Amino acid sequence: MTNPRYKRILLKLSGEVLMGEGGKTIDPAVTARVAEEIAGVKAEGYELCIVVGGGNIFRGLAAAAQGFERATADYMGMLATVMNALAVQNALEQIGVDTRVQSAIPMQSVCEPFIRRRAARHLEKGRVVIFAAGVGSPFFTTDSGAALRAAEMGCDALFKGTSVDGVYDADPKQVSTATRYESVSYDTVLSKNLKVMDASAIALCRDSNIPIVVFNIREHGNFAAVLRGEGVSTVVRNEQETK
């Protein structure tokens, strides 16, 4: 293992990471490429669990803004995360990675219910565990679900795979002079509203002392490279560690 500081990792993926060109909701080729990134890290000996968002299929907040009752919209969004979790599981198992999906909303016909001790046992046996349906309650995002599961599972870090290579002081897609942080504190992220994850997720990671590593998972081999200390990323951590 190249970086023993991080042994057990939670990977947070946005649902949009699975999308293909032309608005394809779940692109099998894209999902297979993401699975290869995950398999590469798993092969290096890390214990790995995953949370996938559902924004490529349904966004509860957006639906609520259009007139859906908020709780109902959020439950629909949770179901979308289950679909994405099953898609990632399928892609991983096609390349020989043993995987389990656990849902915060019980649906035994398609996956296991979330049971923390069972999930820990899966990790100990070398399986990848994918957590679906957020926290199982409305009014919480999958960011909050990722932070919660990372804390429950005793993860050493939360890796957020996005389409940008870290945290910037402005949107790099809109501001050409935006500067990327190498390291930034939880409190700075919250005070400057840097849009890394929602505020409750950042606060939970801060209180649990779980560093958040933001990197571009669309770049081939970048997940493993960041773990080796070679790739480009931003680490969100305690103020003392950023100096």
Side-chain angles (χ1 to χ4, degrees):
M1 187 177 297
T2 55
N3 189 349
R5 181 182 180 187
Y6 300 142
K7 179 184 178 183
R8 179 173 291 181
I9 300 161
L10 187 138
L11 172 64
K12 167 61 169 63
L13 297 172
S14 65
E16 288 84 351
V17 167
L18 306 182
M19 294 182 70
E21 296 180 0
K24 204 168 189 178
T25 304
I26 302 176
D27 188 318
V30 173
T31 306
R33 191 197 60 76
V34 171
E36 289 174 359
E37 296 291 312
I38 296 167
V41 167
K42 186 70 185 67
E44 293 191 13
Y46 294 94
E47 294 180 354
L48 189 61
C49 44
I50 303 170
V51 169
V52 191
N56 55 323
I57 300 172
F58 192 89
R59 282 190 176 276
L61 271 176
Q66 296 173 4
F68 275 77
E69 192 270 327
R70 173 63 189 277
T72 298
D74 281 352
Y75 279 119
M76 294 170 69
M78 289 180 226
L79 295 178
T81 71
V82 177
M83 296 174 66
N84 283 339
L86 293 174
V88 173
Q89 179 186 43
N90 176 73
L92 284 169
E93 293 195 336
Q94 284 186 346
I95 55 176
V97 179
D98 197 10
T99 310
R100 296 291 187 275
V101 174
Q102 291 196 348
S103 171
I105 299 176
M107 48 185 76
Q108 287 90 335
S109 295
V110 295
C111 59
E112 296 179 0
F114 171 67
I115 300 173
R116 185 182 64 85
R117 291 175 65 89
R118 181 183 292 178
R121 186 61 177 154
H122 287 321
L123 292 174
E124 291 165 1
K125 289 186 174 182
R127 298 167 182 145
V128 172
V129 182
I130 307 174
F131 299 116
V135 302
S137 299
F139 304 101
F140 292 92
T141 67
T142 50
D143 282 347
S144 293
L148 176 62
R149 297 295 181 243
E152 286 182 298
M153 302 311 299
C155 291
D156 301 309
L158 191 163
F159 277 63
K160 183 172 182 182
T162 70
S163 59
V164 293
D165 58 1
V167 179
Y168 286 76
D169 58 4
D171 187 344
K173 296 179 180 178
Q174 299 181 6
V175 182
S176 60
T177 57
T179 302
R180 184 180 62 81
Y181 293 94
E182 288 288 338
S183 180
V184 61
S185 71
Y186 303 107
D187 290 338
T188 298
V189 169
L190 291 170
S191 64
K192 293 188 176 182
N193 196 25
L194 292 179
K195 306 294 185 183
V196 177
M197 303 175 83
D198 68 58
S200 60
I202 296 293
L204 179 54
C205 286
R206 178 192 61 194
D207 296 344
S208 303
N209 196 25
I210 299 172
I212 304 168
V213 182
V214 182
F215 71 103
N216 184 357
I217 198 167
R218 295 182 185 274
E219 183 179 334
H220 180 67
N222 200 36
F223 188 11
V226 169
L227 277 165
R228 290 193 297 267
E230 300 169 359
V232 178
S233 65
T234 297
V235 183
V236 183
R237 51 193 172 187
N238 285 319
E239 184 74 40
Q240 300 90 325
E241 296 177 340
T242 64
K243 296 177 182 179

